[in-house]
Amino acid sequence: MESKGSILVSILLLQCLSVLCAAQDFDFFYFVQQWPGSYCDTKQSCCYPTTGKPAVDFGIHGLWPNYNSGSYPSNCDSSNPFKQSEISDLITNLQRNWPTLACPSGNGIQFWTHEWEKHGTCSESELRQHDYFAAALNLKQKANLLQALTSAGINPDGSSYSLSSIKGAIQDSIGFTPYIECNVDASGNSQLYQVYLCVDTSGSDFIDCPVFPHGKCGTQIEFPSF
């Protein structure tokens, strides 16, 4: 026969599964933007969205809840799927600032669905679906990466720049140290691909990163045109 203590533990676990575990806690967000020229200039190439070629600018990849340990939660609440109706007022803004470059060409819905269901549901203790996407759009406006780089003489023209100068330009503009992710072009050259900035759990303000992702770039990296 179960003791009162074990019954209580069982009840608490069930409550966790029904309420808390679905809205899993986290420590901070990675706000990730990607350079479309680097996404497209690979052996895999890319496909422009059905809405046309995106602007020559960084595009949002995602707003990802993370733990200070370096791990991250994912797919936290299957009962809260992506609903286009929740973000109908943001669609035009999302198509402009969070475009899909995956093949075959799409209108962005599949991309945003993936990002919400894998990452966004893990932040629902803080942000509802509309708030989640609005937060990412606001963060992109606050962190104008292309302006930060071009103001420092770092231009997307296929030239190579030092990794330290790229990080320094972004830090000088935004006030926080970014993490730079590289990929390789069709010829195997290292190029500027994604920029990670860390954000508090409200999704509002940039913070110093508690931990950076693994991986590294070369000391000199290309900034390809788009």
Side-chain angles (χ1 to χ4, degrees):
M1 189 172 178
E2 285 187 290
S3 69
K4 287 183 179 179
S6 63
I7 292 171
L8 181 60
V9 168
S10 298
I11 291 170
L12 288 172
L13 284 171
L14 286 170
Q15 287 177 335
C16 172
L17 288 171
S18 63
V19 181
L20 297 176
C21 291
Q24 197 161 352
D25 287 330
F26 60 103
D27 296 317
F28 68 98
F29 286 106
Y30 281 132
F31 177 56
V32 186
Q33 296 186 69
Q34 64 184 13
W35 179 247
S38 300
Y39 184 103
C40 293
D41 189 11
T42 62
K43 289 181 179 179
Q44 182 180 329
S45 192
C46 71
C47 293
Y48 295 156
T50 52
T51 49
K53 182 180 178 179
V56 180
D57 192 10
F58 284 86
I60 298 169
H61 185 172
L63 185 61
W64 303 341
N66 269 257
Y67 299 129
N68 290 339
S69 64
S71 63
Y72 62 91
S74 64
N75 302 104
C76 294
D77 187 4
S78 60
S79 69
N80 189 8
F82 176 83
K83 294 178 184 174
Q84 186 175 340
S85 60
E86 297 260 339
I87 59 161
S88 56
D89 61 313
L90 302 177
I91 294 292
T92 300
N93 202 345
L94 288 168
Q95 287 175 334
R96 183 168 58 249
N97 292 290
W98 198 332
T100 178
L101 290 167
C103 296
S105 295
N107 60 5
I109 298 300
Q110 186 174 351
F111 186 18
W112 308 326
T113 297
H114 169 79
E115 291 299 313
W116 167 253
E117 294 182 356
K118 180 176 180 180
H119 300 287
T121 56
C122 300
S123 68
E124 60 188 21
S125 58
E126 298 284 341
L127 300 172
R128 295 182 179 183
Q129 193 171 139
H130 184 279
D131 300 331
Y132 174 80
F133 287 98
L137 291 168
N138 288 335
L139 289 166
K140 183 178 184 296
Q141 197 169 28
K142 289 174 74 171
N144 191 329
L145 297 180
L146 186 59
Q147 184 179 64
L149 293 171
T150 56
S151 295
I154 299 170
N155 300 298
D157 56 10
S159 299
S160 290
Y161 300 92
S162 71
L163 177 60
S164 60
S165 67
I166 290 171
K167 290 173 68 174
I170 295 171
Q171 182 171 5
D172 289 346
S173 175
I174 297 166
F176 296 95
T177 303
Y179 171 79
I180 306 297
E181 181 184 354
C182 295
N183 66 359
V184 294
D185 65 17
S187 302
N189 301 306
S190 182
Q191 56 186 3
L192 172 60
Y193 174 42
Q194 297 198 128
V195 177
Y196 290 63
L197 291 163
C198 292
V199 179
D200 66 9
T201 54
S202 73
S204 302
D205 297 309
F206 295 113
I207 59 172
D208 290 319
C209 284
V211 62
F212 286 116
H214 297 297
K216 61 180 182 179
C217 299
T219 54
Q220 292 285 126
I221 56 177
E222 291 183 3
F223 192 9
S225 58
F226 178 61

